[in-house]
Amino acid sequence: MSSVAIARGVDVRRASWAVVVRVLVRVAGVWLAPGVVAQVPGQVVAWGWNAYGQCNVPTLPPGLRYESAAVGGWHSLALRSDGAVLAWGLNWEGQCNVPTLPSGLRYASVAGGAEHSLALRSDGAVVAWG
């Protein structure tokens, strides 16, 4: 399998480029893009260097869609329409271990850092992990 994941069958020209995120890492004098994530209405597409699976967007259950997406250093995150957050890729500091929500709460947005993840809950609290 190639280390580059390519979005097939998705017209990325229609992506909401306001939510496109690129993380650049300098390795031995060369800039690498570990992952690029774009939100296409209801979907997330990812491409770029995929050494840790950060471009392998999970398949959605029927009836759900993606609301937003973010990338961290070597991991990606997405917010589903049911308020759940998914995280995948390199998990060396626990940045993909999304905390369980208390009953009745949802996640409202997500962000990724180098080795951590953040999410805003529906009650206004910010949760950080990793």
Side-chain angles (χ1 to χ4, degrees):
M1 185 163 137
S2 169
S3 64
V4 177
I6 298 181
R8 288 185 169 79
V10 176
D11 185 354
V12 294
R13 293 171 295 177
R14 303 181 105 192
S16 173
W17 292 107
V19 298
V20 172
V21 181
R22 170 174 264 168
V23 177
L24 297 176
V25 177
R26 189 174 174 93
V27 176
V30 177
W31 288 98
L32 300 173
V36 179
V37 175
Q39 182 187 357
V40 177
Q43 303 175 54
V44 169
V45 293
W47 62 97
W49 189 61
N50 193 34
Y52 301 106
Q54 66 268 34
C55 294
N56 299 337
V57 179
T59 303
L60 284 170
L64 294 180
R65 66 186 186 288
Y66 285 116
E67 297 291 328
S68 63
V71 296
W74 306 104
H75 67 291
S76 302
L77 302 113
L79 175 66
R80 291 190 329 200
S81 55
D82 64 353
V85 168
L86 304 178
W88 61 96
L90 185 61
N91 192 33
W92 61 5
E93 297 293 336
Q95 62 267 42
C96 294
N97 300 337
V98 180
T100 303
L101 284 168
S103 181
L105 294 181
R106 301 167 51 100
Y107 285 115
S109 65
V110 293
E115 298 172 1
H116 66 282
S117 300
L118 301 129
L120 175 67
R121 293 188 333 196
S122 57
D123 64 356
V126 174
V127 181
W129 62 96

